[in-house]
Amino acid sequence: IKVGKILFTLTMSRYLSSYQTWYFPLKECSNKMVFFDTYLNKILYGKKTMNEKFLEFIKKEKPDYVHMGFGPDEFDFDTLLQIRKISHKTKTLVVFGDDDLQFEKYSRYLMLFVDYGLIPPTKYVDEYKKDGINHKEYIIVSFFPTFPIKNAIRVVKARE
């Protein structure tokens, strides 16, 4: 299954695990890949300007999907809300890898601002439900890294 344009927001460094894990499966699933290197942009410009540049990039590229895998120091929640305003069709997909560490402080709130979440620790599905996030509509349980991103893309497309 192929989808339109995917914006990859992780590093483009081929040596980091996020690139190795996600780039090639996403490339197989998309008609076109575009990049916004959050790590490099944050180092060069700082968080505030990086968030502004990210929104400008979304406005210019209008991707079908934005693939994000980040921690609490990357994007402001307001930036995530702005994505919907500047590119209505764009869906956000976030990868959670540290719910055991970040759930209480971060990912439980972040999930309210994105369209889809890939979450490996299934024990948190009930916690997301308690927060009013319906598992069948918003959360894809991913047994990272054995659950291929291609399966996740199929589930996302089936839900639209």
Side-chain angles (χ1 to χ4, degrees), residues 49-82:
T49 303
M50 187 264 305
N51 275 258
E52 293 167 359
K53 288 184 168 293
F54 176 68
L55 291 174
E56 290 170 13
F57 193 80
I58 293 214
K59 187 182 285 188
K60 176 186 162 207
E61 291 292 336
K62 298 206 181 319
D64 297 294
Y65 296 93
V66 177
H67 175 270
M68 298 179 279
F70 52 83
D73 58 340
E74 297 292 326
F75 294 114
D76 298 321
F77 289 146
D78 188 55
T79 298
L80 300 175
L81 289 173
Q82 292 298 316

Side-chain angles (χ1 to χ4, degrees), residues 7 21 32-33 64 72 74 94 98 105 117 130 144:
L7 169 54
T21 302
K32 183 176 182 182
M33 292 281 287
D64 297 294
E74 297 292 326
V94 67
D98 295 328
K105 295 179 184 175
K130 286 180 196 172
F144 174 81

Side-chain angles (χ1 to χ4, degrees), residues 13-139:
S13 170
R14 61 186 178 155
Y15 300 107
L16 293 179
S17 64
S18 57
Y19 180 87
Q20 294 170 10
T21 302
W22 295 107
Y23 172 75
F24 293 105
L26 284 168
K27 186 177 179 185
E28 273 185 45
C29 295
S30 71
N31 293 324
K32 183 176 182 182
M33 292 281 287
V34 291
F35 299 94
F36 185 88
D37 190 322
T38 53
Y39 298 119
L40 181 61
N41 277 280
K42 188 175 169 195
I43 290 168
L44 292 175
Y45 305 110
K47 181 179 177 177
K48 182 180 180 204
T49 303
M50 187 264 305
N51 275 258
E52 293 167 359
K53 288 184 168 293
F54 176 68
L55 291 174
E56 290 170 13
F57 193 80
I58 293 214
K59 187 182 285 188
K60 176 186 162 207
E61 291 292 336
K62 298 206 181 319
D64 297 294
Y65 296 93
V66 177
H67 175 270
M68 298 179 279
F70 52 83
D73 58 340
E74 297 292 326
F75 294 114
D76 298 321
F77 289 146
D78 188 55
T79 298
L80 300 175
L81 289 173
Q82 292 298 316
I83 293 171
R84 292 186 177 130
K85 290 181 182 176
I86 62 174
S87 184
H88 303 289
K89 70 175 184 146
T90 299
K91 300 289 184 192
T92 51
L93 175 71
V94 67
V95 178
F96 293 112
D98 295 328
D99 265 359
D100 349 17
L101 303 172
Q102 301 276 359
F103 180 79
E104 291 295 332
K105 295 179 184 175
Y106 184 65
S107 53
R108 81 178 319 152
Y109 305 107
L110 176 64
M111 195 59 196
L112 298 169
F113 294 86
V114 298
D115 296 301
Y116 300 101
L118 296 171
I119 59 168
T122 58
K123 65 184 176 184
Y124 290 101
V125 171
D126 289 336
E127 296 301 318
Y128 285 115
K129 284 182 186 178
K130 286 180 196 172
D131 288 346
I133 298 169
N134 182 329
H135 174 67
K136 292 184 179 182
E137 291 178 16
Y138 300 104
I139 300 171

